[in-house]
Amino acid sequence: MAADPILRFRRWLRDAERAGAPLPEAMSLATATRHGVPSLRMVLLKQADTQGFVFFTDARSRKGRELRANPRAAATFHWNTMGRQVRVEGRVVELPDADADAYWATRPRGSQLSGATSFQSRELASRATLVARRRQIERRWDGAAVPRPAEWRGFRIVPSAVEFWTHKDDRLHHRELFTRRGGAWRASLLEP
């Protein structure tokens, strides 16, 4: 077993990219309210390093509000064609403005305009309202850089557990769990 689950994760992600897995960076992200009511959605991983797993979202969204109220999350990456899955659990930290600014600058202009348009997760009276607001934002920033909305933030899952699941015939799957104790990782096998 590899001693560093982050290095293994990065290798598995590269394998999924090379194998042509659709959106290999897509992860299901589970959050919960302070009272433990869970919710789940798909987001895109933007960075995985020794500090954790980074994604970006509008902090006013349901997930953003839940992460601020209960800063713990779980995520799953599933690459079905490869018979692999990775689960991550840990505390969540909000990234500094500089990190959000740096990533915002790399986004395609259309994504920036949509990010500046949407009040993510709020109830919407009609699609026409959203489209009209988008047109207004486009006119406002025509020929200029689209500034990052203050509440559009980056979050990092600092993992306390990472599980690697590999498909095996007859449901005799291979599961390896890494748990962090202090600064070190401890590896163990789990029953399928």
Side-chain angles (χ1 to χ4, degrees), residues 12-167:
W12 277 28
L13 180 61
R14 281 192 308 274
D15 290 349
E17 290 166 349
R18 287 184 191 124
L23 284 176
E25 71 278 17
M27 63 182 192
S28 58
L29 176 69
T31 59
T33 66
R34 74 177 66 234
H35 302 294
V37 178
S39 62
L40 182 69
R41 82 286 291 150
M42 300 300 291
V43 299
L44 297 178
L45 174 75
K46 294 302 175 182
Q47 181 179 331
D49 59 26
T50 57
Q51 296 178 57
F53 298 79
V54 173
F55 62 95
F56 292 84
T57 190
D58 189 321
R60 297 168 297 188
S61 67
R62 179 176 177 177
K63 65 184 155 307
R65 292 188 317 268
E66 289 176 354
L67 289 169
R68 283 178 166 173
N70 181 4
R72 301 213 37 90
T76 300
F77 299 84
H78 184 229
W79 304 297
N80 187 53
T81 56
M82 299 177 63
R84 289 180 174 176
Q85 174 177 282
V86 177
R87 287 187 329 102
V88 176
E89 299 172 6
R91 67 183 173 87
V92 175
V93 295
E94 201 165 323
L95 299 179
D97 285 344
D99 290 2
D101 289 339
Y103 176 65
W104 179 265
T106 70
R107 298 185 88 202
R109 184 171 178 82
S111 295
Q112 290 177 339
L113 289 166
S114 293
T117 298
S118 176
F119 298 106
Q120 197 177 79
S121 299
R122 282 194 195 166
E123 189 171 323
L124 180 64
S126 71
R127 178 100 183 144
T129 301
L130 180 66
V131 170
R133 191 179 327 125
R134 165 66 184 257
R135 286 190 191 119
Q136 181 182 26
I137 295 288
E138 285 180 48
R139 285 191 300 273
R140 180 176 180 189
W141 299 111
D142 185 36
V146 180
R148 176 184 61 85
E151 288 298 309
W152 195 88
R153 312 292 309 172
F155 293 89
R156 174 182 286 118
I157 302 172
V158 180
S160 55
V162 181
E163 180 189 332
F164 295 86
W165 177 95
T166 306
H167 172 82

